[in-house]
Amino acid sequence: MSPWVRSASILARTIPSVASSIEIPTPDDWHVHLRDGPMLEAVVGYSARRFRHSMVMPNLVPPITDASAAVAYRNRILAAVPPSEHRELDPFTPWIVWYCSPAIDADELVTSHESGEAAAVKYYPAGATTNSDGGGTSLASFMTLFERMAEARIRLLVHAESTDPTIDIFDREEAFLTEELAPLCAAIPELGVTVEHVSTAAGVDFVAEHPQCAATVTPHHLARDRSDLLASGMKPDLYCKPVINSAADRERLVATVISGDPAFCLGTDSAPHPTTAKYGPTAKAGVFNAAYGLEVVADVFDRHDALAELANFVSRNGCAIYGVDPPEGTVELERASIDLERATHLTTSAGDEVVLFGDAEATRWRIRTPG
Ligand code: DOR
Ligand code: ZN
């Protein structure tokens, strides 16, 4: 067998007790990093195959902070979609997010949003994660911009993680929410906020307590916890920001999404990095899961006998949060009766290798998307 293909199960297989396939409306990915250049060309097909809307993060170098950069980026994304992934029904639609920075001109943002170009604004705490150097030192320093956004109904997407070095890494989501986001929500209750890649029980509670907030949840935060990251040898492929947290946090996230809570939707946070940037003295944060994220999420729901709720999490809740029409087409997910062969890596045209997260789950699922 090729080293790039795996068919052995890693996680325990569940005995299927109910129907072996389900059909769900075409899913959306409300948080994804598509990068640029050869990496964009290598990864965009995975997103285009599986998802309709993709909320594309702006942490390029330099970041997206104006209309011309956003439009040019969207055109590069669409040009990079392989012809085999073009769909008639529910075509792949990238939504470009602007990077919250003093460089944003609020009038230009509002005009661009009115014309359907600027999807939202993403706040990164400076230094919290990949390409966040140009991020903010506090939410409070952007109040004037946020007031304009609230008036214009432009959503704020937040990387909710404190960068205070005195706070334990596993407590940084809660610290940011309490110290930074709670005062902003109190000051501008009309501002729509998405807490991105929520990773803790504290994050779930925060969203429940703040009706102006919704949240994305990633496949990897639902399917792995910090013991997977650290207990049997440190796994750089599972290193991401916010860091994967405790089993109790993961269980709370799972309980929340399988309950169908409409404030929570899928955002894969698929974030490819070359293995050269993952394996070394320090690892870049990010998990590339656009290839098998849907299988991973289906597997989580299946193991909790909750496949009937999958469509709400991956296909419906996000449409309501972002005010878009529900999809027209459907996707079929079928449990495989034998382990399927799955690629474990991709290679870009620049020769970079990227590890595909979730290949173990993917051996158990066959997904059919409309042509
Ligand atoms: O793990 C992460 N990777 N978290 C982020 O917030 C950014 C992302 C990236 O761009 O690599
Ligand atoms: Zn992200």
Side-chain angles (χ1 to χ4, degrees), residues 274-293:
T275 48
T276 47
K278 290 295 269 179
Y279 308 151
T282 59
K284 287 257 193 182
V287 172
F288 176 66
N289 62 25
Y292 306 135

Side-chain angles (χ1 to χ4, degrees), residues 49-277:
R49 178 172 312 167
R50 289 290 165 75
F51 299 109
R52 178 176 60 140
H53 295 117
S54 279
M55 190 70 91
V56 183
M57 294 299 124
N59 60 335
L60 304 180
V61 183
I64 305 287
T65 56
D66 64 37
S68 64
V71 170
Y73 186 38
R74 198 198 47 204
N75 290 340
R76 292 198 297 283
I77 292 169
L78 289 172
V81 176
S84 57
E85 306 306 344
H86 289 159
R87 257 194 319 273
E88 290 282 318
L89 218 51
D90 303 329
F92 174 66
T93 308
W95 288 27
I96 309 301
V97 176
W98 291 26
Y99 190 105
C100 189
S101 130
I104 288 184
D105 177 310
D107 292 332
E108 186 187 8
L109 173 68
V110 170
T111 307
S112 182
H113 182 255
E114 282 166 2
S115 67
E117 294 286 354
V121 172
K122 173 78 183 283
Y123 178 84
Y124 288 95
T129 187
T130 308
N131 299 341
S132 62
D133 299 348
T137 49
S138 74
L139 282 173
S141 59
F142 290 98
M143 290 305 273
T144 312
L145 176 66
F146 296 157
E147 275 157 9
R148 279 298 297 283
M149 286 168 54
E151 270 167 37
R153 310 198 78 72
I154 301 173
R155 211 166 172 90
L156 175 66
L157 318 183
V158 179
H159 182 113
E161 196 176 19
S162 169
T163 53
D164 181 343
T166 67
I167 295 173
D168 187 274
I169 186 74
F170 294 110
D171 298 331
R172 289 188 187 181
E173 181 169 275
E174 182 171 11
F176 183 93
L177 292 172
T178 311
E179 290 163 19
E180 295 245 17
L181 194 53
L184 173 61
C185 288
I188 319 182
E190 306 79 23
L191 181 66
V193 176
T194 304
V195 179
E196 296 292 343
H197 36 56
V198 68
S199 65
T200 56
V204 171
D205 288 338
F206 186 90
V207 173
E209 287 156 14
H210 294 81
Q212 75 201 88
C213 291
T216 56
V217 191
T218 79
H220 42 286
H221 288 96
L222 289 172
R224 305 287 188 274
D225 56 53
R226 64 196 186 195
S227 297
D228 298 306
L229 173 68
L230 297 168
S232 309
M234 204 272 289
K235 309 263 185 355
D237 294 325
L238 289 182
Y239 176 62
C240 62
K241 291 303 232 40
V243 284
I244 289 177
N245 219 302
S246 71
D249 289 300
R250 179 180 52 69
E251 282 160 16
R252 182 67 191 285
L253 292 173
V254 171
T256 303
V257 300
I258 68 173
S259 78
D261 189 324
F264 294 81
C265 62
L266 175 66
T268 64
D269 197 15
S270 183
H273 289 285
T275 48
T276 47

Side-chain angles (χ1 to χ4, degrees), residues 309-345:
E309 284 298 331
L310 182 65
N312 285 332
F313 178 57
V314 305
S315 316
R316 295 196 188 106
N317 294 352
C319 295
I321 292 165
Y322 286 99
V324 300
D325 290 337
E328 294 177 38
T330 56
V331 166
E332 188 190 357
L333 298 97
E334 186 190 8
R335 277 193 212 87
S337 51
I338 52 159
D339 285 353
L340 304 168
E341 293 226 324
R342 292 295 185 209
T344 60
H345 289 66

